[in-house]
Amino acid sequence: MTVLSPGPTRTDLVRNVVVALLAIAQVVVAVMAGDAVGVVAREYASPLLAADWAFVVWLPIYAGFIGYAVFQALPGQRARQIHRNTGWWMAASAVFNIGWVLSFGTGWLPLAELAIIGLLVSVALVFGRYCRTPAEGVVERVVVRGTVALYAGWVSMATPLGTAATGVWIGLPGTGALAAIAAVVVLLAVTAIVSWAVISGTAVVPFAVGAVWAIVGIALNDPPAGVVVAGAIAIVIVLAATARRISTAGYPVRAAWG
């Protein structure tokens, strides 16, 4: 028996508005911050620092987030239970994102670390909940599931990047053998977690793209040779997990795109 959600409520409307305002606010904050985050990241560089060009991934993430904000506010979408289950977490992710940009860009890296962990948890929860619910149509797959999955994949790898920078901020070595070994261990450990998420999730193609993009950004930013090798291994593992997930799924389209 299909259980229908009640019609749109005042809470739904408030959620729609809050998500839309925060979607715009995080873009405004990012634009105003400019290259401040990049400057700080280079100041506290580690072997896990991604190349500057890798951060262009924020463009489709921000654009997709705005598209999501519009989609979830459409009359036919407002009362859907999946938006009720995820909307406030998406709003929280925007708050954490704003907090991360502001704190990292001004050099408060421990505070930025807390913010990016909150961002990761928020986006991961949304991703997990969407994995349990099939998408309704191509637009939802592209605008909503694609954005959330790309975001989750990227932040999964961006979080240890931020952690490494925070480690340098507190006085841990950012260069040398110890830093390289730590980078390899962290990269492979996070890859194992990401691969588990791929094997058990849906919309795994954009999720894998986000994760692999971050790894490529690290590997091509002239890190120690060991990190390059670990990055290559990590990419192969994530791509193999993605191929396995799609090829063994009962509904490959849903596994690939949500």
Side-chain angles (χ1 to χ4, degrees), residues 21-124:
L21 291 177
L22 287 172
I24 297 171
Q26 67 180 354
V27 175
V28 171
V29 169
V31 171
M32 292 179 64
D35 191 40
V37 170
V39 170
V40 173
R42 290 187 290 273
E43 183 179 353
Y44 299 102
S46 78
L48 289 179
L49 177 63
D52 289 346
W53 53 260
F55 295 94
V56 74
V57 72
W58 283 107
L59 294 178
I61 289 174
Y62 284 143
F65 201 116
I66 291 175
Y68 157 79
V70 172
F71 183 82
Q72 56 93 43
L74 295 175
Q77 297 293 326
R78 293 174 185 170
R80 283 183 62 195
Q81 191 61 43
I82 186 61
H83 296 318
R84 290 173 173 171
N85 292 341
T86 60
W88 289 113
W89 285 110
M90 286 293 279
S93 76
V95 173
F96 283 123
N97 178 264
I98 291 170
W100 176 78
V101 170
L102 293 176
S103 54
F104 197 100
T106 53
W108 290 86
L109 269 62
L111 182 59
E113 180 68 13
L114 294 176
I116 199 168
I117 290 173
L119 172 59
L120 174 61
V121 171
S122 301
V123 176

Side-chain angles (χ1 to χ4, degrees), residues 27-237:
V27 175
V28 171
V29 169
V31 171
M32 292 179 64
D35 191 40
V37 170
V39 170
V40 173
R42 290 187 290 273
E43 183 179 353
Y44 299 102
S46 78
L48 289 179
L49 177 63
D52 289 346
W53 53 260
F55 295 94
V56 74
V57 72
W58 283 107
L59 294 178
I61 289 174
Y62 284 143
F65 201 116
I66 291 175
Y68 157 79
V70 172
F71 183 82
Q72 56 93 43
L74 295 175
Q77 297 293 326
R78 293 174 185 170
R80 283 183 62 195
Q81 191 61 43
I82 186 61
H83 296 318
R84 290 173 173 171
N85 292 341
T86 60
W88 289 113
W89 285 110
M90 286 293 279
S93 76
V95 173
F96 283 123
N97 178 264
I98 291 170
W100 176 78
V101 170
L102 293 176
S103 54
F104 197 100
T106 53
W108 290 86
L109 269 62
L111 182 59
E113 180 68 13
L114 294 176
I116 199 168
I117 290 173
L119 172 59
L120 174 61
V121 171
S122 301
V123 176
L125 282 170
V126 175
F127 177 68
R129 292 181 180 185
Y130 275 128
C131 285
R132 297 193 292 269
T133 306
E136 294 185 358
V138 175
V139 173
E140 182 176 339
R141 278 200 172 101
V142 175
V143 175
V144 179
R145 308 303 176 100
T147 296
V148 170
L150 178 68
Y151 203 173
W154 166 257
V155 176
S156 295
M157 285 296 178
T159 300
L161 270 64
T163 302
T166 303
V168 176
W169 185 90
I170 64 176
L172 296 178
T175 58
L178 182 60
I181 292 170
V184 169
V185 172
V186 170
L187 184 56
L188 294 179
V190 175
T191 297
I193 297 171
V194 166
S195 298
W196 171 81
V198 168
I199 291 173
S200 59
T202 61
V204 297
V205 169
F207 181 89
V209 167
V212 168
W213 183 260
I215 299 170
V216 172
I218 294 169
L220 296 184
N221 197 34
D222 197 27
V227 177
V228 176
V229 173
I233 294 171
I235 291 170
V236 171
I237 291 173

